[in-house]
PDB file of all heavy atoms in Angstrom:
ATOM      1  N   ALA A 111      89.219  70.704 149.638  1.00 89.00           N
ATOM      2  CA  ALA A 111      89.095  70.668 151.098  1.00 89.00           C
ATOM      3  C   ALA A 111      90.018  71.687 151.756  1.00 89.00           C
ATOM      4  O   ALA A 111      91.167  71.847 151.360  1.00 89.00           O
ATOM      5  CB  ALA A 111      89.409  69.274 151.619  1.00 89.00           C
ATOM      6  N   VAL A 112      89.486  72.380 152.754  1.00 90.00           N
ATOM      7  CA  VAL A 112      90.305  73.298 153.541  1.00 90.00           C
ATOM      8  C   VAL A 112      90.498  72.777 154.958  1.00 90.00           C
ATOM      9  O   VAL A 112      91.369  73.257 155.680  1.00 90.00           O
ATOM     10  CB  VAL A 112      89.704  74.720 153.586  1.00 90.00           C
ATOM     11  CG1 VAL A 112      89.745  75.348 152.205  1.00 90.00           C
ATOM     12  CG2 VAL A 112      88.314  74.729 154.168  1.00 90.00           C
ATOM     13  N   LEU A 113      89.701  71.796 155.356  1.00 92.00           N
ATOM     14  CA  LEU A 113      89.788  71.249 156.708  1.00 92.00           C
ATOM     15  C   LEU A 113      89.205  69.846 156.713  1.00 92.00           C
ATOM     16  O   LEU A 113      88.171  69.602 156.101  1.00 92.00           O
ATOM     17  CB  LEU A 113      89.002  72.142 157.686  1.00 92.00           C
ATOM     18  CG  LEU A 113      88.838  71.658 159.118  1.00 92.00           C
ATOM     19  CD1 LEU A 113      90.187  71.594 159.834  1.00 92.00           C
ATOM     20  CD2 LEU A 113      87.890  72.576 159.874  1.00 92.00           C
ATOM     21  N   CYS A 114      89.882  68.941 157.414  1.00 92.00           N
ATOM     22  CA  CYS A 114      89.369  67.584 157.590  1.00 92.00           C
ATOM     23  C   CYS A 114      89.313  67.280 159.082  1.00 92.00           C
ATOM     24  O   CYS A 114      90.265  67.536 159.813  1.00 92.00           O
ATOM     25  CB  CYS A 114      90.271  66.570 156.900  1.00 92.00           C
ATOM     26  SG  CYS A 114      89.750  64.850 157.149  1.00 92.00           S
ATOM     27  N   LEU A 115      88.192  66.732 159.512  1.00 93.00           N
ATOM     28  CA  LEU A 115      88.032  66.305 160.898  1.00 93.00           C
ATOM     29  C   LEU A 115      87.836  64.802 160.919  1.00 93.00           C
ATOM     30  O   LEU A 115      87.019  64.264 160.173  1.00 93.00           O
ATOM     31  CB  LEU A 115      86.803  66.960 161.525  1.00 93.00           C
ATOM     32  CG  LEU A 115      86.755  68.474 161.501  1.00 93.00           C
ATOM     33  CD1 LEU A 115      85.426  68.955 162.071  1.00 93.00           C
ATOM     34  CD2 LEU A 115      87.907  69.068 162.266  1.00 93.00           C
ATOM     35  N   LEU A 116      88.595  64.139 161.764  1.00 89.00           N
ATOM     36  CA  LEU A 116      88.426  62.717 161.984  1.00 89.00           C
ATOM     37  C   LEU A 116      87.892  62.545 163.392  1.00 89.00           C
ATOM     38  O   LEU A 116      88.540  62.942 164.359  1.00 89.00           O
ATOM     39  CB  LEU A 116      89.758  61.984 161.823  1.00 89.00           C
ATOM     40  CG  LEU A 116      90.415  62.114 160.452  1.00 89.00           C
ATOM     41  CD1 LEU A 116      91.768  61.414 160.440  1.00 89.00           C
ATOM     42  CD2 LEU A 116      89.516  61.554 159.370  1.00 89.00           C
ATOM     43  N   ALA A 117      86.693  61.986 163.504  1.00 88.00           N
ATOM     44  CA  ALA A 117      86.021  61.916 164.795  1.00 88.00           C
ATOM     45  C   ALA A 117      85.695  60.480 165.174  1.00 88.00           C
ATOM     46  O   ALA A 117      85.108  59.746 164.383  1.00 88.00           O
ATOM     47  CB  ALA A 117      84.732  62.740 164.757  1.00 88.00           C
ATOM     48  N   ALA A 118      86.099  60.110 166.364  1.00 78.00           N
ATOM     49  CA  ALA A 118      85.740  58.817 166.922  1.00 78.00           C
ATOM     50  C   ALA A 118      86.058  58.829 168.403  1.00 78.00           C
ATOM     51  O   ALA A 118      87.112  59.312 168.810  1.00 78.00           O
ATOM     52  CB  ALA A 118      86.488  57.687 166.240  1.00 78.00           C
ATOM     53  N   ASP A 119      85.140  58.332 169.188  1.00 75.00           N
ATOM     54  CA  ASP A 119      85.378  58.238 170.621  1.00 75.00           C
ATOM     55  C   ASP A 119      85.848  56.839 170.994  1.00 75.00           C
ATOM     56  O   ASP A 119      86.372  56.629 172.070  1.00 75.00           O
ATOM     57  CB  ASP A 119      84.103  58.590 171.387  1.00 75.00           C
ATOM     58  CG  ASP A 119      83.693  60.035 171.157  1.00 75.00           C
ATOM     59  OD1 ASP A 119      84.571  60.860 170.839  1.00 75.00           O
ATOM     60  OD2 ASP A 119      82.504  60.334 171.300  1.00 75.00           O
ATOM     61  N   ASP A 120      85.663  55.890 170.083  1.00 73.00           N
ATOM     62  CA  ASP A 120      86.060  54.503 170.313  1.00 73.00           C
ATOM     63  C   ASP A 120      87.276  54.206 169.448  1.00 73.00           C
ATOM     64  O   ASP A 120      87.194  54.237 168.219  1.00 73.00           O
ATOM     65  CB  ASP A 120      84.908  53.574 169.941  1.00 73.00           C
ATOM     66  CG  ASP A 120      85.256  52.106 170.071  1.00 73.00           C
ATOM     67  OD1 ASP A 120      86.266  51.774 170.724  1.00 73.00           O
ATOM     68  OD2 ASP A 120      84.515  51.282 169.508  1.00 73.00           O
ATOM     69  N   THR A 121      88.401  53.938 170.054  1.00 71.00           N
ATOM     70  CA  THR A 121      89.628  53.682 169.291  1.00 71.00           C
ATOM     71  C   THR A 121      89.855  52.196 169.039  1.00 71.00           C
ATOM     72  O   THR A 121      90.901  51.819 168.535  1.00 71.00           O
ATOM     73  CB  THR A 121      90.851  54.266 170.026  1.00 71.00           C
ATOM     74  OG1 THR A 121      90.922  53.693 171.341  1.00 71.00           O
ATOM     75  CG2 THR A 121      90.758  55.769 170.121  1.00 71.00           C
TER      76      THR A 121
END
Side-chain angles (χ1 to χ4, degrees):
V112 293
L113 173 65
C114 177
L115 303 176
L116 300 177
D119 296 335
D120 177 16
T121 57

